[in-house]
Amino acid sequence: MNSGVIKTVTEKGFGFISREGQAKDLFFHSNDVVGTTFDELKIGDAVTFEVVDGAKGPSAKNVTLA
């Protein structure tokens, strides 16, 4: 599992995760959140996730609060 911090969450149901040592933030969709609801995620929350190849590049799956 990878770890990071929630950088952005939008009202449209997606957000971005900042990863230490990585220049590019990682996209995630509300459907990829497990163990909690998307609405409970806040900027600065520590999360764990899996990185997968999405249609537009790498994205996060199985995002959970750390």
Side-chain angles (χ1 to χ4, degrees):
M1 288 296 257
N2 297 282
S3 61
V5 176
I6 300 292
K7 183 173 182 180
T8 306
V9 287
T10 70
E11 294 177 8
K12 295 183 179 185
F14 65 88
F16 292 91
I17 298 170
S18 175
R19 300 181 287 167
E20 188 173 324
Q22 300 289 322
K24 190 171 182 180
D25 296 332
L26 198 61
F27 172 85
F28 74 98
H29 190 272
S30 60
N31 293 339
D32 301 319
V33 177
V34 293
T36 190
T37 66
F38 179 79
D39 294 332
E40 292 178 283
L41 295 176
K42 306 284 185 255
I43 293 171
D45 283 348
V47 292
T48 59
F49 53 89
E50 296 176 39
V51 178
V52 297
D53 287 326
K56 295 182 179 180
S59 62
K61 292 276 186 192
N62 298 319
V63 177
T64 59
L65 286 171

